[in-house]
């Protein structure tokens, strides 16, 4: 019998959802509602066998958005009882040092998610809003929070602590948390399956390269190092985020250029990365410009690849023995040239790509037969990972 989980990703003015068949992994329905609370809302719903529904309309708040979703399910199916809905999974960005796994949401957990807002001011309050509205909409089902940070709580102190005044760090909960945890967990599990070996024995470097990008070193199914930090600004070069910079740059911009802290925050989070370097944050456009010989696009790609290569090198050292490197997310799954650039020159470290396999598509090995470390493309599926974690929790606790 089908068992399904309703997976929710709530932003401050958006709601993304997918009804997932936990056992087959199939999407039974999905959609996105944007510009909630504004005068120009847009709602989209799709399900297998129906024409995509798109409506431009005012959606006043998240509860209203859920009402719209229920209406679509009523009209177009599937019926939630027929789909045997066993729970609701909420993506929550920041779980702090407290949540090392998915957890059933009660009032106390909801409060703790709210208490973590200072560490993720843009995300946790929005996630909580989604949780409150969903609990009102689906009162009879278990609600489960799945944290972006949870997978990384196994990172040892030597890797997650920053070398700053220990009492300041403790008071303000400053440490590396890491993000994209559900994706890194899904891909590293899948990687072990693809290698046909027990998860506990497999060491993988996962490169999640999307608009946001992060790398994780996974030893035997446990995250031991990751490139994002206390916030998702650290690490690799991203679509609009700078990734790692010398923190001294911030003081310099404040003191010498007279920029406010908010302006620097916007600069580093929203106007840097590919966008800052080239004028577009979309990798496809940057690649096209580079192919046309535009120097700043060529240089931007070199900067992205340089940072990736350095990160891979560091993680090879942290893992000691690496079985596989897995590329995932929009760029990781689709950009053969970026994969090739990132690993160029690493043949001496046992990493050899096969250009033909690299140019293909779908889940596959892209390393050459003789490569000591296998390289794969593994499409991520965060919704399925969340759905599975909800199902595991519901099965084990009988959460109601
Ligand atoms: P995501 O955040 O995972 O949706 O990834 C978004 C990023 O993937 C954007 O920078 C896209 O330009 C990039 N992307 C998607 N498809 C391709 C492609 N075929 N080639 C290069 N980059 C791509």
């Amino acid at each position: 019998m089908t068992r399904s989980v309703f997976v929710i990703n709530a932003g401050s003015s958006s709601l993304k959802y997918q009804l997932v068949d936990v056992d087959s992994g199939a999407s039974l329905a999905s959609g996105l509602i944007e510009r909630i609370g504004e005068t120009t809302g847009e709602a989209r719903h799709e399900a297998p066998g129906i024409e995509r529904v798109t409506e431009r309309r005012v959606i006043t708040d998240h509860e209203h958005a859920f009402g719209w979703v229920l209406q679509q399910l009523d009209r177009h199916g599937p019926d939630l009882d027929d789909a045997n809905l066993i729970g609701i999974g909420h993506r929550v960005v920041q779980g702090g040092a407290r949540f090392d796994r998915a957890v059933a949401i009660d009032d106390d957990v909801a409060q703790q998610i709210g208490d973590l807002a200072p560490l993720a001011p843009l995300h946790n309050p929005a996630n909580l809003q989604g949780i409150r509205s969903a609990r009102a909409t689906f009162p009879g089902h278990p609600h489960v929070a799945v944290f972006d940070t949870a997978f990384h709580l196994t990172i040892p102190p030597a890797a997650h602590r920053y070398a700053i005044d220990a009492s300041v760090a403790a008071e303000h909960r400053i440490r590396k948390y890491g993000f994209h945890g559900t994706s890194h967990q899904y891909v590293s599990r899948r990687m072990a399956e693809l290698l046909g070996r027990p998860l506990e024995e497999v060491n993988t470097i996962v490169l999640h390269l999307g608009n946001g990008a992060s790398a994780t070193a996974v030893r035997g199914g446990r995250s031991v190092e990751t490139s994002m930090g206390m916030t998702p600004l650290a690490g690799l070069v991203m679509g609009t985020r700078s990734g790692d910079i010398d923190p001294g740059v911030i003081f310099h911009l404040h003191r010498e250029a007279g920029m406010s802290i908010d302006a620097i925050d916007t600069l580093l989070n929203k106007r840097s990365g590919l966008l800052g370097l080239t004028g577009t944050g979309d990798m496809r456009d940057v690649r096209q410009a580079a192919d046309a010989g535009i120097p700043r696009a060529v240089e931007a790609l070199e900067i992205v690849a340089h940072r990736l290569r350095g990160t891979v090198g560091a993680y090879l050292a942290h893992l000691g023995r690496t079985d596989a490197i897995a590329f995932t997310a929009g760029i990781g799954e689709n950009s053969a040239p970026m994969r090739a650039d990132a690993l160029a020159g690493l043949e001496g470290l046992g990493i050899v790509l096969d250009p033909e396999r690299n140019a293909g598509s779908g889940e596959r090995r892209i390393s050459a037969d003789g490569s000591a470390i296998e390289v794969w493309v593994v499409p991520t599926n965060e919704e399925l990972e969340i759905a599975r974690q909800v199902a595991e929790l519901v099965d084990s606790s009988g959460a109601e």
Side-chain angles (χ1 to χ4, degrees):
M1 187 186 186
T2 305
R3 297 183 311 155
S4 68
V5 170
F6 199 70
V7 177
I8 289 164
N9 186 354
S12 57
S13 65
S14 68
L15 179 73
K16 197 174 162 202
Y17 60 90
Q18 189 177 129
L19 183 65
V20 181
D21 180 327
V22 186
D23 302 305
S24 74
S27 170
L28 303 175
S30 63
L32 175 64
I33 299 165
E34 292 177 289
R35 294 193 289 280
I36 295 173
E38 295 176 29
T39 48
T40 55
E42 187 166 326
R44 197 175 76 210
H45 175 86
E46 33 200 318
I50 67 160
E51 213 170 295
R52 177 196 280 198
V53 181
T54 309
E55 280 184 22
R56 278 172 203 284
R57 50 174 299 159
V58 177
I59 306 266
T60 49
D61 55 22
H62 284 78
E63 227 166 293
H64 188 188
F66 279 116
W68 185 85
V69 177
L70 285 184
Q71 216 174 45
Q72 304 315 307
L73 291 171
D74 263 357
R75 272 187 204 151
H76 306 287
D79 182 278
L80 288 180
D81 288 331
D82 292 347
N84 190 18
L85 182 67
I86 59 166
I88 320 291
H90 295 267
R91 179 182 181 205
V92 179
V93 165
Q94 180 56 270
R98 163 85 177 73
F99 295 111
D100 64 353
R101 66 197 66 193
V103 60
I105 301 171
D106 55 18
D107 291 345
D108 181 44
V109 167
Q111 161 105 36
Q112 292 186 54
I113 291 170
D115 290 347
L116 288 162
L119 290 175
L122 296 180
H123 295 107
N124 272 40
N127 300 154
L128 189 56
Q129 210 169 3
I131 288 170
R132 291 210 174 104
S133 307
R135 288 176 88 194
T137 308
F138 303 96
H141 290 90
H143 288 253
V144 175
V146 180
F147 301 92
D148 253 24
T149 49
F151 183 58
H152 298 301
L153 276 190
T154 49
I155 293 176
H160 77 61
R161 287 191 61 188
Y162 296 121
I164 63 169
D165 183 311
S167 58
V168 172
E171 186 182 344
H172 297 284
R173 298 183 281 185
I174 293 170
R175 53 166 283 177
K176 174 179 284 198
Y177 292 103
F179 299 88
H180 290 144
T182 30
S183 177
H184 289 295
Q185 187 167 13
Y186 174 85
V187 171
S188 51
R189 272 197 208 177
R190 180 77 189 132
M191 197 62 252
E193 272 171 28
L194 290 164
L195 295 178
R197 291 169 53 191
L199 182 61
E200 298 69 35
E201 289 176 12
V202 174
N203 294 348
T204 303
I205 297 172
V206 181
L207 300 172
H208 177 113
L209 311 179
N211 210 6
S214 65
T216 296
V218 185
R219 177 181 292 129
R222 294 159 69 86
S223 171
V224 294
E225 177 59 295
T226 195
S227 61
M228 283 179 169
M230 184 183 109
T231 74
L233 180 56
L236 303 172
V237 178
M238 310 183 213
T240 66
R241 283 173 249 163
S242 61
D244 285 348
I245 58 161
D246 174 354
V249 170
I250 297 168
F251 313 130
H252 181 79
L253 288 173
H254 181 60
R255 293 188 188 123
E256 301 299 322
M259 288 179 74
S260 69
I261 291 298
D262 283 347
I264 301 170
D265 187 332
T266 303
L267 175 78
L268 297 181
N269 272 297
K270 304 211 169 114
R271 289 175 40 215
S272 295
L274 288 177
L275 177 66
L277 290 167
T278 70
T280 169
D282 191 296
M283 179 55 91
R284 281 164 291 205
D285 297 338
V286 179
R287 177 64 60 185
Q288 209 172 14
D291 289 347
I294 295 172
R296 63 180 184 168
V298 174
E299 272 176 33
L301 294 179
E302 286 169 2
I303 295 168
V304 171
H306 176 89
R307 184 84 51 92
L308 270 168
R309 207 175 303 129
T311 305
V312 169
Y315 290 8
L316 291 172
H318 290 315
L319 288 174
R321 189 207 81 232
T322 301
D323 300 293
I325 297 172
F327 283 92
T328 197
I331 298 167
E333 291 170 31
N334 296 302
S335 178
M338 183 44 72
R339 291 191 297 261
D341 290 349
L343 301 180
L346 302 188
E347 295 80 7
L349 298 175
I351 301 168
V352 186
L353 281 191
D354 178 311
E356 232 169 86
R357 290 178 190 152
N358 189 33
S361 65
E363 187 175 79
R364 68 200 182 281
R365 180 162 68 95
I366 58 172
S367 49
D369 289 342
S371 183
I373 297 174
E374 294 198 12
V375 186
W376 285 72
V377 171
V378 180
T380 193
N381 193 337
E382 290 171 272
E383 284 79 12
L384 177 57
E385 181 64 36
I386 291 174
R388 281 183 182 156
Q389 293 192 20
V390 172
E392 275 170 28
L393 196 70
V394 169
D395 285 349
S396 69
S397 70
E400 285 291 325

Tab-separated table of all heavy atoms in Angstrom, residues 92-135:
chain	number	residue	atom	x	y	z
A	92	VAL	N	13.715	22.599	7.886
A	92	VAL	CA	14.092	23.695	8.773
A	92	VAL	C	15.587	23.935	8.591
A	92	VAL	O	16.381	22.987	8.625
A	92	VAL	CB	13.774	23.361	10.247
A	92	VAL	CG1	14.209	24.503	11.158
A	92	VAL	CG2	12.282	23.089	10.430
A	93	VAL	N	15.978	25.185	8.375
A	93	VAL	CA	17.364	25.457	8.015
A	93	VAL	C	18.310	25.259	9.195
A	93	VAL	O	19.315	24.568	9.092
A	93	VAL	CB	17.495	26.878	7.413
A	93	VAL	CG1	18.949	27.323	7.360
A	93	VAL	CG2	16.899	26.874	6.008
A	94	GLN	N	17.985	25.836	10.344
A	94	GLN	CA	18.955	25.847	11.441
A	94	GLN	C	18.439	25.057	12.653
A	94	GLN	O	17.431	25.411	13.238
A	94	GLN	CB	19.238	27.309	11.824
A	94	GLN	CG	20.217	27.547	12.957
A	94	GLN	CD	21.591	26.921	12.773
A	94	GLN	OE1	21.812	25.769	13.171
A	94	GLN	NE2	22.524	27.662	12.192
A	95	GLY	N	19.137	23.994	12.994
A	95	GLY	CA	18.777	23.203	14.175
A	95	GLY	C	19.759	23.396	15.314
A	95	GLY	O	19.660	22.725	16.349
A	96	GLY	N	20.745	24.292	15.129
A	96	GLY	CA	21.715	24.583	16.183
A	96	GLY	C	22.476	23.339	16.620
A	96	GLY	O	22.592	22.360	15.871
A	97	ALA	N	22.999	23.378	17.842
A	97	ALA	CA	23.750	22.234	18.370
A	97	ALA	C	22.809	21.239	19.026
A	97	ALA	O	23.229	20.224	19.563
A	97	ALA	CB	24.788	22.726	19.374
A	98	ARG	N	21.499	21.515	18.965
A	98	ARG	CA	20.508	20.751	19.706
A	98	ARG	C	19.953	19.580	18.879
A	98	ARG	O	19.812	18.477	19.381
A	98	ARG	CB	19.387	21.719	20.100
A	98	ARG	CG	18.069	21.138	20.516
A	98	ARG	CD	18.090	20.788	21.998
A	98	ARG	NE	16.799	20.291	22.450
A	98	ARG	CZ	16.319	19.099	22.143
A	98	ARG	NH1	16.995	18.294	21.373
A	98	ARG	NH2	15.142	18.712	22.603
A	99	PHE	N	19.647	19.834	17.613
A	99	PHE	CA	18.928	18.822	16.820
A	99	PHE	C	19.885	18.092	15.882
A	99	PHE	O	20.327	18.632	14.883
A	99	PHE	CB	17.805	19.484	16.025
A	99	PHE	CG	16.733	20.072	16.897
A	99	PHE	CD1	16.571	21.445	16.990
A	99	PHE	CD2	15.887	19.249	17.636
A	99	PHE	CE1	15.582	21.992	17.796
A	99	PHE	CE2	14.899	19.785	18.446
A	99	PHE	CZ	14.745	21.161	18.529
A	100	ASP	N	20.211	16.865	16.248
A	100	ASP	CA	21.134	16.097	15.413
A	100	ASP	C	20.403	15.104	14.526
A	100	ASP	O	21.014	14.260	13.884
A	100	ASP	CB	22.179	15.382	16.282
A	100	ASP	CG	21.560	14.348	17.195
A	100	ASP	OD1	20.315	14.261	17.257
A	100	ASP	OD2	22.317	13.626	17.869
A	101	ARG	N	19.081	15.187	14.526
A	101	ARG	CA	18.287	14.311	13.646
A	101	ARG	C	16.882	14.878	13.523
A	101	ARG	O	16.538	15.846	14.215
A	101	ARG	CB	18.222	12.898	14.215
A	101	ARG	CG	17.471	12.794	15.532
A	101	ARG	CD	17.775	11.501	16.244
A	101	ARG	NE	19.186	11.488	16.651
A	101	ARG	CZ	19.837	10.415	17.069
A	101	ARG	NH1	19.231	9.254	17.109
A	101	ARG	NH2	21.095	10.481	17.442
A	102	ALA	N	16.072	14.249	12.673
A	102	ALA	CA	14.686	14.700	12.512
A	102	ALA	C	13.940	14.500	13.826
A	102	ALA	O	14.231	13.574	14.590
A	102	ALA	CB	14.024	13.890	11.406
A	103	VAL	N	12.979	15.374	14.093
A	103	VAL	CA	12.282	15.307	15.376
A	103	VAL	C	10.801	15.633	15.176
A	103	VAL	O	10.451	16.487	14.352
A	103	VAL	CB	12.970	16.270	16.391
A	103	VAL	CG1	12.934	17.702	15.902
A	103	VAL	CG2	12.339	16.194	17.766
A	104	ALA	N	9.948	14.912	15.937
A	104	ALA	CA	8.507	15.201	15.885
A	104	ALA	C	8.269	16.576	16.496
A	104	ALA	O	8.859	16.910	17.527
A	104	ALA	CB	7.734	14.129	16.645
A	105	ILE	N	7.433	17.357	15.858
A	105	ILE	CA	7.224	18.736	16.314
A	105	ILE	C	6.074	18.790	17.319
A	105	ILE	O	4.955	18.365	17.020
A	105	ILE	CB	6.885	19.665	15.128
A	105	ILE	CG1	8.024	19.649	14.099
A	105	ILE	CG2	6.618	21.092	15.614
A	105	ILE	CD1	7.694	20.356	12.792
A	106	ASP	N	6.406	19.278	18.534
A	106	ASP	CA	5.352	19.646	19.480
A	106	ASP	C	5.570	21.126	19.804
A	106	ASP	O	6.433	21.775	19.191
A	106	ASP	CB	5.399	18.749	20.738
A	106	ASP	CG	6.774	18.774	21.399
A	106	ASP	OD1	7.563	19.709	21.102
A	106	ASP	OD2	7.070	17.880	22.209
A	107	ASP	N	4.834	21.652	20.759
A	107	ASP	CA	4.957	23.094	21.043
A	107	ASP	C	6.368	23.451	21.490
A	107	ASP	O	6.906	24.509	21.156
A	107	ASP	CB	3.943	23.516	22.111
A	107	ASP	CG	2.521	23.442	21.571
A	107	ASP	OD1	2.369	23.342	20.326
A	107	ASP	OD2	1.570	23.468	22.373
A	108	ASP	N	6.985	22.537	22.255
A	108	ASP	CA	8.321	22.793	22.776
A	108	ASP	C	9.355	22.863	21.624
A	108	ASP	O	10.194	23.760	21.583
A	108	ASP	CB	8.675	21.663	23.769
A	108	ASP	CG	10.040	21.879	24.366
A	108	ASP	OD1	10.326	23.032	24.737
A	108	ASP	OD2	10.823	20.908	24.433
A	109	VAL	N	9.267	21.909	20.697
A	109	VAL	CA	10.190	21.903	19.547
A	109	VAL	C	9.968	23.157	18.691
A	109	VAL	O	10.932	23.804	18.258
A	109	VAL	CB	10.013	20.611	18.708
A	109	VAL	CG1	10.719	20.725	17.365
A	109	VAL	CG2	10.541	19.400	19.484
A	110	ALA	N	8.711	23.522	18.497
A	110	ALA	CA	8.409	24.730	17.708
A	110	ALA	C	9.059	25.947	18.366
A	110	ALA	O	9.681	26.781	17.699
A	110	ALA	CB	6.903	24.913	17.580
A	111	GLN	N	8.959	25.996	19.678
A	111	GLN	CA	9.558	27.116	20.414
A	111	GLN	C	11.078	27.131	20.240
A	111	GLN	O	11.694	28.183	20.022
A	111	GLN	CB	9.197	26.936	21.900
A	111	GLN	CG	10.061	27.701	22.869
A	111	GLN	CD	9.315	28.913	23.417
A	111	GLN	OE1	8.102	28.850	23.627
A	111	GLN	NE2	10.030	29.998	23.627
A	112	GLN	N	11.691	25.945	20.280
A	112	GLN	CA	13.151	25.887	20.125
A	112	GLN	C	13.592	26.295	18.718
A	112	GLN	O	14.644	26.910	18.554
A	112	GLN	CB	13.647	24.479	20.435
A	112	GLN	CG	13.486	24.123	21.904
A	112	GLN	CD	14.119	22.780	22.220
A	112	GLN	OE1	15.285	22.566	21.934
A	112	GLN	NE2	13.349	21.871	22.775
A	113	ILE	N	12.786	25.958	17.739
A	113	ILE	CA	13.103	26.393	16.360
A	113	ILE	C	13.053	27.919	16.295
A	113	ILE	O	13.915	28.563	15.696
A	113	ILE	CB	12.121	25.744	15.349
A	113	ILE	CG1	12.395	24.237	15.266
A	113	ILE	CG2	12.242	26.392	13.968
A	113	ILE	CD1	11.340	23.450	14.500
A	114	GLY	N	12.079	28.497	16.983
A	114	GLY	CA	11.982	29.948	17.055
A	114	GLY	C	13.164	30.549	17.795
A	114	GLY	O	13.725	31.578	17.387
A	115	ASP	N	13.605	29.870	18.861
A	115	ASP	CA	14.734	30.380	19.662
A	115	ASP	C	16.038	30.402	18.859
A	115	ASP	O	16.982	31.105	19.217
A	115	ASP	CB	14.947	29.513	20.914
A	115	ASP	CG	13.815	29.702	21.917
A	115	ASP	OD1	13.038	30.664	21.753
A	115	ASP	OD2	13.706	28.882	22.850
A	116	LEU	N	16.108	29.588	17.816
A	116	LEU	CA	17.320	29.543	16.994
A	116	LEU	C	17.329	30.634	15.919
A	116	LEU	O	18.279	30.734	15.137
A	116	LEU	CB	17.458	28.159	16.334
A	116	LEU	CG	17.840	27.028	17.308
A	116	LEU	CD1	17.533	25.661	16.696
A	116	LEU	CD2	19.311	27.126	17.692
A	117	ALA	N	16.284	31.464	15.906
A	117	ALA	CA	16.166	32.504	14.864
A	117	ALA	C	17.383	33.432	14.790
A	117	ALA	O	17.790	33.794	13.681
A	117	ALA	CB	14.891	33.314	15.060
A	118	PRO	N	18.015	33.805	15.923
A	118	PRO	CA	19.179	34.691	15.781
A	118	PRO	C	20.290	34.084	14.923
A	118	PRO	O	21.085	34.811	14.332
A	118	PRO	CB	19.660	34.872	17.232
A	118	PRO	CG	18.458	34.604	18.067
A	118	PRO	CD	17.666	33.568	17.328
A	119	LEU	N	20.348	32.743	14.841
A	119	LEU	CA	21.381	32.097	14.023
A	119	LEU	C	20.963	31.975	12.558
A	119	LEU	O	21.795	31.704	11.704
A	119	LEU	CB	21.695	30.695	14.574
A	119	LEU	CG	22.421	30.647	15.919
A	119	LEU	CD1	22.547	29.213	16.397
A	119	LEU	CD2	23.800	31.291	15.804
A	120	ALA	N	19.691	32.130	12.276
A	120	ALA	CA	19.209	32.045	10.884
A	120	ALA	C	18.012	32.976	10.735
A	120	ALA	O	16.880	32.535	10.516
A	120	ALA	CB	18.815	30.608	10.545
A	121	PRO	N	18.276	34.283	10.833
A	121	PRO	CA	17.165	35.249	10.891
A	121	PRO	C	16.288	35.267	9.646
A	121	PRO	O	15.119	35.600	9.722
A	121	PRO	CB	17.867	36.606	11.094
A	121	PRO	CG	19.300	36.374	10.784
A	121	PRO	CD	19.591	34.915	10.946
A	122	LEU	N	16.843	34.872	8.507
A	122	LEU	CA	16.032	34.893	7.286
A	122	LEU	C	15.211	33.615	7.143
A	122	LEU	O	14.191	33.608	6.467
A	122	LEU	CB	16.929	35.043	6.049
A	122	LEU	CG	17.715	36.346	5.949
A	122	LEU	CD1	18.559	36.363	4.689
A	122	LEU	CD2	16.756	37.537	5.966
A	123	HIS	N	15.690	32.535	7.775
A	123	HIS	CA	15.065	31.243	7.490
A	123	HIS	C	14.193	30.672	8.594
A	123	HIS	O	13.071	30.253	8.342
A	123	HIS	CB	16.143	30.225	7.101
A	123	HIS	CG	16.842	30.581	5.830
A	123	HIS	ND1	18.134	31.058	5.791
A	123	HIS	CD2	16.413	30.558	4.560
A	123	HIS	CE1	18.469	31.306	4.545
A	123	HIS	NE2	17.441	31.014	3.768
A	124	ASN	N	14.719	30.605	9.831
A	124	ASN	CA	13.948	29.898	10.862
A	124	ASN	C	12.580	30.512	11.140
A	124	ASN	O	11.601	29.773	11.283
A	124	ASN	CB	14.760	29.753	12.150
A	124	ASN	CG	15.595	28.484	12.131
A	124	ASN	OD1	16.156	28.148	11.097
A	124	ASN	ND2	15.657	27.776	13.247
A	125	PRO	N	12.456	31.857	11.201
A	125	PRO	CA	11.115	32.406	11.442
A	125	PRO	C	10.144	32.014	10.318
A	125	PRO	O	8.977	31.714	10.582
A	125	PRO	CB	11.359	33.922	11.465
A	125	PRO	CG	12.792	34.073	11.860
A	125	PRO	CD	13.486	32.908	11.219
A	126	ALA	N	10.639	31.978	9.079
A	126	ALA	CA	9.782	31.596	7.952
A	126	ALA	C	9.419	30.116	8.050
A	126	ALA	O	8.264	29.730	7.830
A	126	ALA	CB	10.498	31.877	6.640
A	127	ASN	N	10.403	29.275	8.389
A	127	ASN	CA	10.125	27.844	8.550
A	127	ASN	C	9.070	27.636	9.629
A	127	ASN	O	8.166	26.812	9.491
A	127	ASN	CB	11.388	27.069	8.941
A	127	ASN	CG	12.509	27.162	7.911
A	127	ASN	OD1	13.687	27.032	8.234
A	127	ASN	ND2	12.153	27.385	6.650
A	128	LEU	N	9.180	28.399	10.704
A	128	LEU	CA	8.246	28.268	11.825
A	128	LEU	C	6.837	28.697	11.413
A	128	LEU	O	5.849	28.073	11.821
A	128	LEU	CB	8.750	29.120	13.002
A	128	LEU	CG	8.025	28.937	14.332
A	128	LEU	CD1	8.033	27.478	14.765
A	128	LEU	CD2	8.676	29.805	15.412
A	129	GLN	N	6.777	29.731	10.615
A	129	GLN	CA	5.487	30.184	10.089
A	129	GLN	C	4.825	29.054	9.298
A	129	GLN	O	3.631	28.792	9.437
A	129	GLN	CB	5.746	31.364	9.157
A	129	GLN	CG	4.649	32.372	9.088
A	129	GLN	CD	5.157	33.626	8.351
A	129	GLN	OE1	6.291	33.673	7.869
A	129	GLN	NE2	4.326	34.625	8.270
A	130	GLY	N	5.616	28.387	8.477
A	130	GLY	CA	5.115	27.249	7.699
A	130	GLY	C	4.625	26.141	8.619
A	130	GLY	O	3.574	25.532	8.380
A	131	ILE	N	5.379	25.884	9.685
A	131	ILE	CA	5.002	24.823	10.631
A	131	ILE	C	3.674	25.164	11.305
A	131	ILE	O	2.772	24.319	11.387
A	131	ILE	CB	6.124	24.641	11.691
A	131	ILE	CG1	7.336	23.965	11.040
A	131	ILE	CG2	5.620	23.838	12.889
A	131	ILE	CD1	8.585	23.953	11.913
A	132	ARG	N	3.541	26.408	11.763
A	132	ARG	CA	2.305	26.808	12.457
A	132	ARG	C	1.102	26.662	11.526
A	132	ARG	O	0.067	26.117	11.912
A	132	ARG	CB	2.416	28.261	12.921
A	132	ARG	CG	3.431	28.425	14.032
A	132	ARG	CD	3.047	29.592	14.953
A	132	ARG	NE	3.957	29.622	16.089
A	132	ARG	CZ	4.954	30.517	16.212
A	132	ARG	NH1	5.128	31.451	15.310
A	132	ARG	NH2	5.744	30.465	17.275
A	133	SER	N	1.246	27.139	10.289
A	133	SER	CA	0.124	27.083	9.350
A	133	SER	C	-0.195	25.642	8.980
A	133	SER	O	-1.354	25.265	8.862
A	133	SER	CB	0.454	27.858	8.072
A	133	SER	OG	0.864	29.146	8.399
A	134	ALA	N	0.848	24.822	8.815
A	134	ALA	CA	0.617	23.425	8.430
A	134	ALA	C	-0.031	22.650	9.576
A	134	ALA	O	-0.889	21.795	9.350
A	134	ALA	CB	1.936	22.767	8.034
A	135	ARG	N	0.364	22.966	10.809
A	135	ARG	CA	-0.257	22.257	11.949
A	135	ARG	C	-1.741	22.621	12.042
A	135	ARG	O	-2.567	21.796	12.412
A	135	ARG	CB	0.461	22.583	13.256
A	135	ARG	CG	1.842	21.922	13.343
A	135	ARG	CD	2.559	22.340	14.599
A	135	ARG	NE	2.252	21.486	15.747
A	135	ARG	CZ	2.536	21.810	16.999
A	135	ARG	NH1	3.099	22.980	17.274
A	135	ARG	NH2	2.259	20.990	17.988
